[in-house]
Amino acid sequence: MARSNPFQFMQQVRAEAAKVVWPSRRETVTTTIIVFIMATIMAIFFFAVDQIIQLGLEGILTLAS
């Protein structure tokens, strides 16, 4: 692989960074809200599953003793 000098490297970095399409503020806010909603839904789901497993294990241990 050919090596370029630091000046050429910085020029290439700037050229690539100029090609990046940044999301708008509205897209960022919408995506953030969706992430928070999904995190909340998943937390509730895993809490419910944990409670069901706990109830089942307590039932099994109660029968075993």
Side-chain angles (χ1 to χ4, degrees), residues 29-42:
V29 169
T30 303
T31 305
T32 302
I33 291 170
I34 290 171
V35 167
F36 279 119
I37 290 170
M38 290 305 297
T40 303
I41 291 170
M42 294 308 293

Side-chain angles (χ1 to χ4, degrees), residues 56-65:
L57 286 175
E58 286 176 353
I60 291 170
L61 293 175
T62 302
L63 290 175
S65 61

Side-chain angles (χ1 to χ4, degrees), residues 1-59:
M1 183 183 274
R3 296 184 73 174
S4 59
N5 65 37
F7 181 72
Q8 285 177 332
F9 176 76
M10 288 307 296
Q11 283 181 329
Q12 292 171 358
V13 168
R14 286 183 186 221
E16 289 299 319
K19 295 178 186 178
V20 174
V21 178
W22 296 100
S24 67
R25 180 175 178 84
R26 181 177 177 156
E27 289 172 329
T28 303
V29 169
T30 303
T31 305
T32 302
I33 291 170
I34 290 171
V35 167
F36 279 119
I37 290 170
M38 290 305 297
T40 303
I41 291 170
M42 294 308 293
I44 293 168
F45 170 76
F46 285 117
F47 177 76
V49 169
D50 185 52
Q51 293 299 310
I52 291 168
I53 291 171
Q54 179 183 358
L55 183 65
L57 286 175
E58 286 176 353

